[in-house]
Amino acid sequence: MLPQESMQSGGSQRQDESGEEQTLLNRDEQFHLWIENIADIITVFKADGTIFYQSASITRLLGWAVEERVGQNIFTNPITHPDDIQAQQAFLIDAINNPDKVVTSTFRLLRKDGTFCYIEAIARNLLHHPLVQGIVSTYRDITERMELEKRKEEFIRAASHELRAPITNLKGHTQVLKMMLADHDAMEEPVEYLSIMDKQIDRLTRLINDLLDVTKIRASMMDYKDTLFEVDPFVRDLVILLQHNSSHHTLRFSGESHATLCADKDRLAQVIINLVMNAIKYSPRGRPIDITVTAEDDRVLIRVRDYGKGIPELYLQRIFERFYRVPDTDNDNRSGLGIGLYVAREIVARHHGEIQVESQPGEGSTFTVALPINT
């Protein structure tokens, strides 16, 4: 190669390298602009909770300058609402202990003007990644959503209270009419109609009570009155009572635990009634419902099994969510608000127990309530 050609080749190579470097710089600047102008706050923590990166969105959403928060430790100098500090710290600890797991939480953060806003936080532990070496978290302002949710729950609570009085009156008048017709040896048909009305009123009462319980749970106002009672006769009596209200299914009680619980008897009855009524609702006429009680590993297990349509595996993890209903694939239009199982799970959790479900489409479902036995 001639010297002149060599020089031209070398110059061309340097120009190419210079162009690639400029492209990379442009891409870095572009990425930086994306991050700094994203609506959510992006925070990167060290393993000890120290913030070593904070996006500019914190100024727009909370009013704090980036330099006011970088270097701060959320364990020792948080801007979290006092009632939510434990939730935020548990959120970070969960991320620290579970690499690559996506963890979520909701808590309130302090704005610089002294007000608080609700934050939905999502984090992932990338401490092991050599280019990150931190826990990456995004904070989204959900204050407006939470306020709307609060207004909705206040409406539900007010409406439920307003409905209680007329429903109670209807119940009373229905029972009086049934007694009057019975005293006068009336035809069976009117009495049957009143019995149907009575059952529908009971169903409506349960729906109203469930709605009220949802608002109480959300406001941490659920009331409990614990007493000591024997489990086996308690469940057996409930099954007998529920059998009187179900003429199309046979409720079969079996097993024994010889266990005693210190718990809210009425709340646990609410759980069992909900499970049995669901089993009845989703079982064809004539199919039995099995309710069993056993003791195992210092726990009492109450199982409710039906032989109905079952629940597809896709929906099993969501059926305990508030207002969630399994999609109606059979067009059977079964009613319900999707709150009974949510309330049941909360009641069982309060008693330090757990509720689980096993199901196979076409074979039915088994719900198991496990509660620690008092010793």
Side-chain angles (χ1 to χ4, degrees):
M1 181 182 294
L2 295 175
Q4 185 175 358
E5 292 176 343
S6 178
M7 290 176 62
Q8 290 175 346
S9 175
S12 176
Q13 184 177 356
R14 285 192 295 272
Q15 287 177 356
D16 290 343
E17 291 175 353
S18 177
E20 290 177 1
E21 290 176 1
Q22 186 61 46
T23 299
L24 289 174
L25 287 172
N26 290 340
R27 287 178 180 173
D28 286 344
E29 181 63 21
Q30 184 183 49
F31 182 73
H32 179 75
L33 287 170
W34 287 344
I35 294 299
E36 291 301 306
N37 288 280
I38 197 169
D40 297 343
I41 301 170
I42 297 178
T43 305
V44 185
F45 300 97
K46 294 181 181 179
D48 64 356
T50 300
I51 300 169
F52 70 85
Y53 174 79
Q54 190 90 72
S55 68
S57 300
I58 192 170
T59 305
R60 292 190 295 275
L61 293 182
L62 300 179
W64 300 100
V66 170
E67 54 270 20
E68 290 180 286
R69 293 307 300 160
V70 171
Q72 300 294 331
N73 188 294
I74 71 164
F75 289 115
T76 58
N77 187 24
I79 56 170
T80 314
H81 191 286
D83 294 341
D84 298 344
I85 287 177
Q86 187 175 359
Q88 188 197 31
Q89 293 180 352
F91 162 73
L92 182 60
I93 291 170
D94 190 14
I96 291 170
N97 294 334
N98 297 280
D100 283 327
K101 175 187 175 184
V102 176
V103 298
T104 61
S105 184
T106 301
F107 42 80
R108 287 164 288 179
L109 291 181
L110 177 69
R111 297 188 181 102
K112 196 168 183 178
D113 64 7
T115 61
F116 286 91
C117 69
Y118 281 93
I119 292 294
E120 181 180 63
I122 303 175
R124 186 178 179 188
N125 182 343
L126 295 176
L127 288 166
H128 59 283
H129 196 294
L131 296 179
V132 181
Q133 297 182 343
I135 298 167
V136 181
S137 177
T138 60
Y139 291 168
R140 173 165 295 179
D141 186 350
I142 58 168
T143 304
E144 186 175 347
R145 187 205 309 172
M146 295 296 288
E147 289 176 351
L148 181 62
E149 186 79 10
K150 183 179 178 181
R151 289 197 296 271
K152 181 176 71 175
E153 289 176 0
E154 287 173 351
F155 169 77
I156 291 172
R157 182 165 56 248
S160 298
H161 277 296
E162 289 296 322
L163 286 169
R164 265 186 162 179
I167 291 298
T168 301
N169 285 334
L170 280 172
K171 177 75 173 177
H173 285 89
T174 302
Q175 291 176 336
V176 169
L177 282 172
K178 284 176 67 177
M179 289 187 293
M180 291 175 63
L181 289 173
D183 291 341
H184 290 80
D185 296 323
M187 293 184 296
E188 291 184 4
E189 190 175 21
V191 176
E192 183 180 353
Y193 286 156
L194 284 172
S195 296
I196 293 171
M197 286 176 58
D198 198 35
K199 289 180 180 179
Q200 292 303 314
I201 290 170
D202 287 342
R203 178 171 166 271
L204 186 55
T205 301
R206 286 195 298 272
L207 287 174
I208 292 171
N209 289 336
D210 282 347
L211 282 170
L212 281 170
D213 284 342
V214 168
T215 62
K216 289 177 182 178
I217 290 168
R218 299 285 290 175
S220 300
M221 294 173 58
M222 197 80 152
D223 52 326
Y224 294 92
K225 297 177 182 178
D226 293 343
T227 58
L228 277 171
F229 62 93
E230 295 179 359
V231 176
D232 299 348
F234 162 68
V235 178
R236 183 170 53 248
D237 291 346
L238 275 178
V239 172
I240 293 171
L241 176 65
L242 290 167
Q243 181 66 80
H244 286 309
N245 293 322
S246 177
S247 58
H248 302 301
H249 297 81
T250 300
L251 307 184
R252 304 187 301 200
F253 175 80
S254 63
E256 52 187 18
S257 66
H258 304 291
T260 299
L261 291 179
C262 181
D264 189 313
K265 199 172 182 179
D266 291 337
R267 290 296 184 189
L268 290 183
Q270 184 178 346
V271 172
I272 296 169
I273 290 170
N274 180 275
L275 296 179
V276 174
M277 296 304 291
N278 274 355
I280 291 171
K281 182 192 299 185
Y282 293 104
S283 295
R285 289 189 176 192
R287 296 280 181 88
I289 308 295
D290 289 327
I291 300 96
T292 61
V293 179
T294 57
E296 181 181 303
D297 298 329
D298 297 324
R299 298 186 305 170
V300 59
L301 305 180
I302 304 169
R303 292 188 175 91
V304 177
R305 181 182 181 185
D306 66 68
Y307 300 87
K309 61 190 295 185
I311 306 168
E313 185 177 359
L314 176 65
Y315 307 120
L316 285 179
Q317 298 302 316
R318 300 199 60 191
I319 60 174
F320 294 103
E321 293 179 11
R322 186 173 54 128
F323 300 129
Y324 182 79
R325 296 183 64 202
V326 174
D328 183 10
T329 55
D330 297 334
N331 296 316
D332 51 15
N333 295 317
R334 286 186 171 90
S335 60
L337 299 177
I339 55 178
L341 290 177
Y342 167 78
V343 172
R345 184 189 63 179
E346 293 297 321
I347 292 172
V348 172
R350 183 270 177 191
H351 288 89
H352 310 291
E354 59 181 352
I355 181 169
Q356 297 179 337
V357 58
E358 298 176 7
S359 186
Q360 290 291 333
E363 298 181 14
S365 305
T366 301
F367 286 83
T368 302
V369 175
L371 297 164
I373 297 175
N374 299 97
T375 56

